[in-house]
């Protein structure tokens, strides 16, 4: 039986800037009824207390895991309860009054039977899913209250034949989701439906179901060469934001609108891998192609007069479906020459292309697709130094993101992103006493060592307000970041060490 609880207060970046200097602005209260903005000071960026707007999140979880041993297998049963309380504070005149407040309760369940490994054969069958309810307890509203129930039944099989391993599975899923109406009065507060009320959310009832499955195989040609292949059909039901949003989302800095008529995403993917693993070199090439019908994404809306559609002072976006094809792959190379097997030089290149079928150039590419990436890491792992230090490592890492010129250009939804390179370093070790017990472990890392100014293509903060001082829009990624981590173990058998 496991219990967990955490609380955190994340700040929300809005990116508003002074029109003359280009420096960031913060909200301030001049008195009980008047608010204004002023340029943020250097101390504001060093303070761990978040300024308005920010969120307060509390999450509680209890999970009971069971394992019942039978003659020819075992039954695993898991049931869990989670409660998430998310409050958002955005009124500088009333800093203690939350606007959004989501209260979500979730019950997860999983029951499966595993047959004991016999004659190189494995088999399991089970059922799992969840029941979830979300309530709006605040005075601002982004998504409607809803209830959903998920259930899925599945079976998985695996069989080994000397150098060949074959595995596969099939699954049936069903989701039943129901949302609630919400009417607001002239003050923006919930009310009964009447001639003067505003219909913020329209109730809907959706049912999604699908049969999915996969089959794959691995063949070991020699001790050093192997190949993998897999084919799978996938399914994803749209979430409550995609179905029912109608409000300002501070976290994404946009007004989001859902569509209750969206269908579930369905995909068919094939992928393959070829690997070589020798004494001095490990290489693997992975390729995939995935076709997705009813692919759901956000696109910016235009007004009837041209330009952006503006709601509550922010650009409006709507969840829409499309026919998508995602393809790409990754090649990874790990050089570990002997006798220097403690030294690793790891390199990888990854690439994804995401297209909409039968679309013109401006809507051909899907939004928020990662840029091609080259990553290299030189790492030294030293098992022991004079019996005092163990698990010592030093690493130097380079992350090179190529330019992303394939973007969703229609309606100004996205812009291209230039290339950038980040350098990271790190080291760590465990310190032992004379008895060989670990006293503590210490880890040091510095990310973005050269303090490069960059914007990830996946960052929504790239589209925050324009900096008039230099003509560049958006908030940039994290600069040089240094961290120190100390881990002190508690050994009850040998006492505190």
């Amino acid at each position: 039986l496991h219990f967990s609880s955490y609380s955190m207060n994340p700040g929300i970046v809005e990116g508003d800037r002074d029109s003359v200097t280009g420096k960031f602005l913060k909200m301030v209260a001049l008195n009980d009824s008047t608010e204004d903005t002023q340029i943020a000071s250097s101390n504001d960026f060093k303070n761990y207390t978040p300024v308005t707007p920010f969120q307060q999140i509390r999450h509680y979880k209890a999970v009971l895991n069971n394992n019942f041993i039978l003659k020819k297998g075992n039954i695993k049963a898991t049931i869990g309860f989670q409660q998430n309380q998310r409050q958002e504070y955005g009124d500088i005149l009333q800093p203690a009054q939350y606007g959004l407040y989501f209260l979500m309760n979730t019950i997860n369940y999983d029951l499966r039977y595993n047959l004991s490994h016999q004659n190189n054969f494995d088999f399991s069958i089970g059922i799992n899913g969840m029941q979830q309810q979300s309530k709006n307890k605040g005075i601002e509203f982004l998504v409607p209250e809803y209830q959903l129930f998920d259930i899925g039944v599945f079976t998985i099989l695996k069989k080994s034949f000397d150098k060949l391993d074959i595995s596969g599975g099939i699954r049936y899923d069903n989701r039943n989701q129901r949302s609630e109406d919400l009417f607001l009065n002239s003050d923006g507060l919930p009310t009964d439906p009447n001639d003067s009320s505003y219909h913020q959310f329209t109730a809907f009832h959706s049912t999604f179901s699908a049969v999915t499955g996969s089959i794959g195989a691995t063949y070991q040609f020699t001790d050093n060469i192997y190949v993998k292949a897999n084919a799978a059909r996938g399914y994803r039901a749209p979430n409550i934001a995609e179905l029912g949003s109608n409000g300002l989302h501070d976290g994404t800095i946009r007004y989001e609108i859902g569509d209750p008529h969206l269908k579930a995403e369905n995909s068919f993917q094939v992928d393959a891998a070829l690997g070589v693993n020798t004494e001095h070199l490990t290489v693997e090439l992975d390729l995939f192609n995935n076709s997705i019908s009813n692919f759901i994404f956000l696109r910016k809306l235009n007004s009837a007069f041209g330009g952006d559609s503006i709601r509550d002072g922010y650009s409006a976006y709507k969840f829409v479906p499309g026919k998508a094809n995602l393809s790409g792959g990754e090649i990874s190379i790990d050089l570990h020459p002997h006798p220097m097997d403690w030294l690793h030089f790891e390199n990888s290149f990854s690439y994804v292309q995401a297209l909409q079928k039968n679309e013109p150039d401006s809507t051909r590419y899907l939004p928020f697709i990662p840029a091609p990436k080259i990553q290299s890491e030189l790492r030294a792992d030293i098992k022991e130094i004079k019996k005092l230090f163990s698990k010592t490592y030093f690493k130097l890492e380079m992350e090179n993101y190529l330019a992303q010129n394939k973007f969703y250009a229609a309606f100004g939804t996205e812009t291209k992103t230039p290339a950038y390179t980040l350098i990271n370093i790190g080291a760590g070790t465990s310190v032992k006493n004379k008895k060989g017990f670990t006293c503590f472990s210490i880890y040091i890392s510095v990310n973005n060592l050269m303090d490069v100014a960059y914007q990830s293509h996946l960052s929504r903060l790239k589209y925050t307000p324009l900096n008039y001082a230099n003509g560049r829009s958006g908030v940039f990624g994290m600069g040089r970041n240094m961290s120190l981590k100390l881990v002190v173990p508690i050994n009850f058998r040998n006492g505190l060490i």
Side-chain angles (χ1 to χ4, degrees), residues 326-341:
L326 282 74
S327 59
E330 180 180 39
I331 182 169
S332 58
I333 302 172
D334 180 6
L335 180 63
H336 41 85
H338 284 248
M340 296 186 299
D341 55 351

Side-chain angles (χ1 to χ4, degrees), residues 155-327:
T155 182
I156 302 171
L157 303 95
K158 179 181 178 181
K159 177 67 175 177
S160 298
F161 306 90
D162 192 22
K163 296 183 177 181
L164 175 67
D165 289 331
I166 299 177
S167 62
I170 189 169
R171 179 182 177 96
Y172 170 78
D173 279 282
N174 181 274
R175 167 173 288 188
N176 194 299
Q177 188 164 352
R178 187 185 302 272
S179 77
E180 305 294 336
D181 276 307
L182 178 64
F183 293 87
L184 303 178
N185 61 22
S186 58
D187 295 323
L189 299 176
T191 187
D192 294 328
N194 56 64
D195 293 339
S196 62
S197 62
Y198 172 65
H199 202 175
Q200 176 79 9
F201 300 123
T202 301
F204 65 84
H205 180 203
S206 300
T207 301
F208 305 98
S209 62
V211 176
T212 57
S214 69
I215 184 168
T218 300
Y219 187 77
Q220 194 81 31
F221 284 102
T222 68
D223 291 341
N224 306 117
I225 302 174
Y226 62 88
V227 65
K228 300 177 184 179
N230 187 72
R233 179 171 177 81
Y235 144 90
R236 186 185 75 87
N239 59 41
I240 189 61
E242 295 163 340
L243 292 170
S245 288
N246 185 24
L248 174 61
H249 193 319
D250 275 324
T252 61
I253 320 175
R254 57 198 179 198
Y255 192 102
E256 297 182 357
I257 303 170
D259 182 355
H261 303 294
L262 290 173
K263 298 179 181 179
E265 294 179 344
N266 287 280
S267 69
F268 180 73
Q269 175 170 308
V270 291
D271 55 82
L274 174 64
V276 178
N277 188 7
T278 68
E279 185 179 8
H280 306 289
L281 184 68
T282 300
V283 181
E284 182 168 301
L285 173 65
D286 297 272
L287 300 172
F288 75 92
N289 186 80
N290 193 357
S291 295
I292 306 175
S293 60
N294 305 313
F295 181 84
I296 301 170
F297 64 97
L298 267 174
R299 74 166 177 86
K300 187 182 284 189
L301 298 179
N302 284 140
S303 71
F305 307 101
D308 293 349
S309 174
I310 304 298
R311 301 196 181 186
D312 289 354
Y314 290 81
S315 297
Y317 288 71
K318 183 172 178 137
F319 289 97
V320 296
K323 294 182 179 179
N325 182 262
L326 282 74
S327 59

